[in-house]
Amino acid sequence: MTASKRLKNYRNIGIIAHIDAGKTTVTERILFYTGRSYKMGEVHDGTAVMDWMEQEQERGITITSAVTTCLWRDHEIHLIDTPGHVDFTIEVERSLRVLDGVVAVFCGVGGVEPQSETVWHQADRYHVPKIAFVNKMDRIGADLSNVVNQIAQKFKTTPLPLQIPVGQESNFRGVIDLLGMRQIVWIEETSGARYESVEIEPQLLDRAVEARDDLVAKIAESDEQLMDRYLGGEEIQGTDLIPVIRRLTLSLKAVPVLCGSALRNKGIQPILDAVVDFLPSPLDVPPIEGVDPQSKERVQRLSSEKEPFAALAFKIFMDQGRKLTYVRIYSGSLQVGGDILNVSKGVKEKVSRIFEMHANKRDRVEHTGAGNIVALMGLKSATTGDSLCDPSHPILLEAIDVYDPVISIAVEAQTRGDQEKLMESLARLSEEDPTFRFQENPDTGQTIISGMGELHLEIVRNRLEREYHVAVNAGKPQVVYRETIQQESGAEAVFDREIAGSRHYAAVELRINPLPRGEGNTIVNGIVDASIPENFFPALEEGVRDALSSGPILGYPLLDVRTILLRGEYHENISSELAFRVAASMAFKKACEQASPGLLEPYMAVEVLVPEEFMGDVLGDVNLRKGRVESISTRKAIQVVKAVVPLSRMFGYSTALRSATQGRATFTMHFSHYDLASST
């Protein structure tokens, strides 16, 4: 097979969804039906192949993204199963950065849930084409048309339902394929591995004809030739529609929608067909772009083994003390023993081993090339988001966005002998997970660990004990605050000091004013009188950034502050970069103290699904927690309450909600924004 034919038959895809929509169950069926695994694992039994960590098996949730490869219709599908829980959103972010397409799984009852929206918008940011699979069609309250309408409204896209269900809820028994106008029936005794394509039942034919006509009309709107044939009353075959659907999917103008029930082994094979028919190969996506670190010019790499090697490290995993670096190879080829350049770190390294991954199992290979997702061993300096390339053709790719932690706890080793081991273990965990941070407080001697939520930090503590054999005591969770200013202020500062026998002098005047929430920090150079030479401007900005890292109230970083550098004083021979950096920092801190500083706390967007009889209790509890109810809507027999609540008031909410609603309400939350802390 030629290299271009091989790449044309590659699909790098991910499974994304809200927690408990059925991603891992879908993935397990895909592995079984493609022959990659000999039996189906079940999430509820803790036997899912892709949920291989002990913590995942015990809790029935996905914590870390797992990579595997399977074959379908002579196509090689590289598949990443991602977590649905908001605490592990970095796993989704870094997976989407390297994927070419995704299958978004929705619950037939819950529809578009909060984390579904988050991961969908993450995929949009990286221009990743999508297929939607509406799962759990056998559940009470499942409604395909309702989910399709939600997809259209919430994502401002055109859903293309390629199937309609046969039977509702517990009577769900198959689907009608609207492209081929055939009914697909799965054989129960074969665990859904065998299925038949039969004539549509007479009582369903009118509904199927109407649904197909709506589908063809939607597709024809974007294809002039197809529209002429449709308006002319011509019979349009499914084979004529597939290329147009593919083009619309790749351009993010439409989303093919399929349905089924993964747990009941119905609807999975058509997903694989859709992945092959509608999602892109590495040749269908634009060439990867980056910057030449020497010339600073933008350069491209085509998806071809003839191009120089270029790859992105998107995940680090520590396996029994050995470091595995997961990479997506965009161009070129790589051999065991080959030299590569880590452009992000400016370090040359040698690849000692290359592995194709199947969850936590590894297959060694000697050679790999463009379009592949593999794990490398031997890269000591690589971290998430690093660019790896041919040393003679350097290219710096766009890094991966990393979220700042919102919650912290203090931990200490239970024995003095484990203290050093604790710091080493935390360093390894933070190398794996960029959203996990730790630091030692010099004043108290405490070790503070920070993450994205209570579950995130609970998993870290669990891994410390199980994998690194370090038992720790933990304090109560603490919120990670920020600081800001609430009014305009100005100040000037003079730095004049002798250091190591040399005099350093600088004077700086600046003004600061508050920005709207979420604007971030900006530094404006307003020096127009040449009172400070241009070569000192970087030192001035560095001084301001130093001061922004620690606010005047509790030492938290400052947010939403505009700093305008106005003027200064420069003396030849004795003014230095050090002096201007310190003077700028002093002036900023002085101005900050006079600008009515305030404490900012993280607010969480909370969505509660609650039966109507418990609505009063839930709303009252939200108000007690200083929350603000944004909207209340009805989803069949369930009320959906959306609110914004300070994170500090959300600790223990899960238990409180269960006891107030007899365990019948569920909630999800994710970080919304920082705002001024409430005084009580």
Side-chain angles (χ1 to χ4, degrees):
M1 190 186 290
T2 64
S4 61
K5 178 77 186 298
R6 179 179 62 80
L7 280 170
K8 191 177 179 184
N9 287 356
Y10 271 5
R11 297 290 183 273
N12 289 315
I13 68 160
I15 311 285
I16 62 171
H18 183 89
I19 191 168
D20 205 30
K23 291 180 309 304
T24 303
T25 307
V26 168
T27 309
E28 292 299 316
R29 271 49 180 180
I30 287 174
L31 296 181
F32 180 68
Y33 299 141
T34 57
R36 192 67 176 87
S37 56
Y38 68 91
K39 68 188 273 283
M40 276 185 279
E42 300 292 0
V43 174
H44 53 267
D45 292 336
T47 57
V49 173
M50 302 299 270
D51 283 353
W52 56 270
M53 288 174 69
E54 286 179 15
Q55 292 91 337
E56 293 178 314
Q57 292 167 355
E58 289 170 0
R59 295 164 191 271
I61 62 169
T62 303
I63 291 169
T64 182
S65 52
V67 182
T68 191
T69 302
C70 55
L71 296 172
W72 187 259
R73 282 173 41 188
D74 296 325
H75 285 67
E76 189 172 313
I77 300 172
H78 303 143
L79 180 67
I80 299 182
D81 177 32
T82 65
H85 197 287
V86 66
D87 282 15
F88 310 107
T89 192
I90 183 62
E91 293 287 340
V92 184
E93 185 80 28
R94 57 188 178 185
S95 298
L96 288 171
R97 173 68 177 81
V98 299
L99 291 170
D100 298 330
V102 294
V103 177
V105 180
F106 298 94
C107 172
V109 183
V112 178
E113 296 170 283
Q115 190 65 5
S116 311
E117 293 188 61
T118 302
V119 295
W120 189 284
H121 294 315
Q122 283 174 305
D124 276 346
R125 191 161 69 248
Y126 293 116
H127 306 289
V128 179
K130 293 166 281 289
I131 288 170
F133 176 65
V134 181
N135 193 22
K136 304 189 180 184
M137 291 304 298
D138 58 320
R139 290 276 188 92
I140 293 172
D143 186 342
L144 177 65
S145 59
N146 177 45
V147 181
V148 169
N149 290 336
Q150 286 185 41
I151 291 171
Q153 291 165 10
K154 295 192 177 182
F155 301 137
K156 304 292 184 277
T157 189
T158 303
L160 302 174
L162 306 185
Q163 300 170 340
I164 57 172
V166 176
Q168 287 289 324
E169 300 176 346
S170 59
N171 294 320
F172 173 73
R173 58 188 188 278
V175 299
I176 292 172
D177 169 27
L178 297 178
L179 294 181
M181 283 302 279
R182 301 283 288 174
Q183 187 169 324
I184 302 174
V185 180
W186 278 268
I187 314 297
E188 291 280 354
E189 301 79 57
T190 65
S191 299
R194 278 186 49 218
Y195 56 100
E196 294 175 347
S197 183
V198 299
E199 293 284 335
I200 298 171
E201 295 172 25
Q203 69 271 24
L204 299 173
L205 193 57
D206 288 347
R207 183 166 151 242
V209 168
E210 185 184 342
R212 189 181 199 274
D213 193 57
D214 289 344
L215 174 67
V216 175
K218 265 187 188 176
I219 298 168
E221 283 175 11
S222 57
D223 189 281
E224 206 171 304
Q225 192 179 1
L226 205 60
M227 180 59 86
D228 290 341
R229 292 174 61 190
Y230 173 70
L231 293 174
E234 188 181 328
E235 179 72 27
I236 298 172
Q237 300 299 317
T239 49
D240 298 330
L241 296 172
I242 286 174
V244 185
I245 297 171
R246 180 178 177 81
R247 193 181 72 240
L248 293 172
T249 305
L250 297 191
S251 61
L252 304 188
K253 291 179 180 172
V255 178
V257 181
L258 299 95
C259 64
S261 168
L263 194 61
R264 288 179 60 181
N265 310 319
K266 292 176 172 62
I268 302 302
Q269 293 91 340
I271 297 177
L272 289 161
D273 288 333
V275 165
V276 168
D277 289 338
F278 307 128
L279 289 183
S281 75
L283 297 176
D284 294 317
V285 296
I288 191 72
E289 283 198 352
V291 175
D292 185 320
Q294 291 155 356
S295 67
K296 304 301 180 190
E297 292 178 358
R298 292 201 71 76
V299 287
Q300 289 186 340
R301 292 282 187 272
L302 298 171
S303 190
S304 164
E305 290 196 7
K306 294 176 182 174
E307 292 267 305
F309 174 73
L312 187 77
F314 70 93
K315 178 179 168 73
I316 306 297
F317 180 66
M318 294 294 179
D319 185 18
Q320 297 172 349
R322 289 173 295 186
K323 181 175 174 180
L324 278 176
T325 305
Y326 286 73
V327 301
R328 161 70 194 268
I329 301 174
Y330 288 103
S331 63
S333 60
L334 185 63
Q335 304 270 4
V336 169
D339 289 323
I340 59 174
L341 172 66
N342 182 334
V343 186
S344 309
K345 300 285 190 297
V347 176
K348 272 190 186 178
E349 303 212 71
K350 192 178 287 290
V351 177
S352 60
R353 289 181 188 174
I354 303 173
F355 297 107
E356 284 183 351
M357 300 300 294
H358 176 51
N360 62 330
K361 296 181 175 63
R362 305 180 291 204
D363 295 327
R364 283 182 69 167
V365 294
E366 296 300 310
H367 170 274
T368 188
N372 275 315
I373 294 175
V374 294
L376 307 180
M377 195 174 275
L379 308 186
K380 293 174 184 169
S381 64
T383 54
T384 297
D386 282 358
S387 301
L388 311 173
C389 63
D390 181 337
S392 54
H393 297 87
I395 180 172
L396 183 64
L397 305 175
E398 182 191 349
I400 295 172
D401 287 339
V402 175
Y403 301 90
D404 287 330
V406 296
I407 186 171
S408 297
I409 59 173
V411 295
E412 62 178 16
Q414 289 183 359
T415 65
R416 188 178 291 276
D418 274 349
Q419 185 58 35
E420 192 175 325
K421 199 174 170 186
L422 171 64
M423 301 310 285
E424 289 173 9
S425 304
L426 291 174
R428 287 183 175 180
L429 288 169
S430 67
E431 197 170 356
E432 279 187 30
D433 181 355
T435 60
F436 170 68
R437 316 269 170 84
F438 74 99
Q439 65 181 48
E440 200 163 4
N441 187 316
D443 299 326
T444 63
Q446 282 184 314
T447 301
I448 309 295
I449 62 172
S450 306
M452 301 302 292
E454 287 181 274
L455 179 61
H456 188 194
L457 296 184
E458 193 181 321
I459 296 294
V460 166
R461 287 169 51 202
N462 198 282
R463 290 188 65 192
L464 279 173
E465 293 183 10
R466 291 190 181 186
E467 294 172 33
Y468 296 97
H469 309 294
V470 180
V472 295
N473 297 322
K476 286 186 177 178
Q478 298 292 318
V479 174
V480 178
Y481 290 94
R482 293 288 184 266
E483 297 182 26
T484 192
I485 58 169
Q486 299 177 73
Q487 62 187 51
E488 188 173 315
S489 174
E492 55 184 297
V494 177
F495 181 80
D496 188 358
R497 195 171 298 172
E498 192 171 297
I499 302 172
S502 300
R503 188 177 166 204
H504 295 262
Y505 176 85
V508 175
E509 185 181 348
L510 51 75
R511 188 171 72 248
I512 59 174
N513 50 46
L515 290 173
R517 288 292 151 263
E519 289 285 308
N521 297 322
T522 58
I523 302 173
V524 179
N525 186 351
I527 301 171
V528 292
D529 60 0
S531 58
I532 300 175
E534 279 188 31
N535 58 309
F536 290 115
F537 289 173
L540 289 169
E541 291 188 8
E542 206 171 331
V544 171
R545 275 193 289 271
D546 287 346
L548 281 164
S549 68
S550 178
I553 303 173
L554 294 172
Y556 289 106
L558 286 141
L559 284 183
D560 305 329
V561 180
R562 178 192 283 121
T563 307
I564 304 164
L565 301 166
L566 298 175
R567 63 186 66 81
E569 196 176 327
Y570 160 79
H571 290 174
E572 202 164 347
N573 299 327
I574 62 169
S575 287
S576 65
E577 287 188 358
L578 171 67
F580 276 109
R581 179 176 169 178
V582 177
S585 182
M586 288 165 58
F588 182 93
K589 287 179 177 177
K590 198 184 291 185
C592 206
E593 287 168 1
Q594 302 162 14
S596 185
L599 200 62
L600 295 173
E601 66 177 323
Y603 278 69
M604 309 302 284
V606 180
E607 183 175 284
V608 187
L609 273 63
V610 56
E612 191 161 0
E613 61 262 39
F614 300 109
M615 270 287 286
D617 293 334
V618 168
L619 293 176
D621 190 44
V622 167
N623 288 329
L624 281 174
R625 293 172 189 271
K626 305 292 181 185
R628 183 178 72 251
V629 175
E630 304 268 90
S631 68
I632 300 171
S633 56
T634 303
R635 196 178 291 168
K636 295 212 167 177
I638 297 291
Q639 299 293 313
V640 182
V641 178
K642 292 187 176 180
V644 177
V645 189
L647 174 60
S648 59
R649 308 280 179 155
M650 288 301 292
F651 295 132
Y653 184 62
S654 179
T655 306
L657 184 67
R658 275 199 298 267
S659 60
T661 63
Q662 299 171 14
R664 291 171 61 194
T666 60
F667 84 102
T668 55
M669 71 174 183
H670 59 272
F671 173 74
S672 171
H673 63 282
Y674 275 97
D675 212 337
L676 288 169
S678 52
S679 55
T680 56

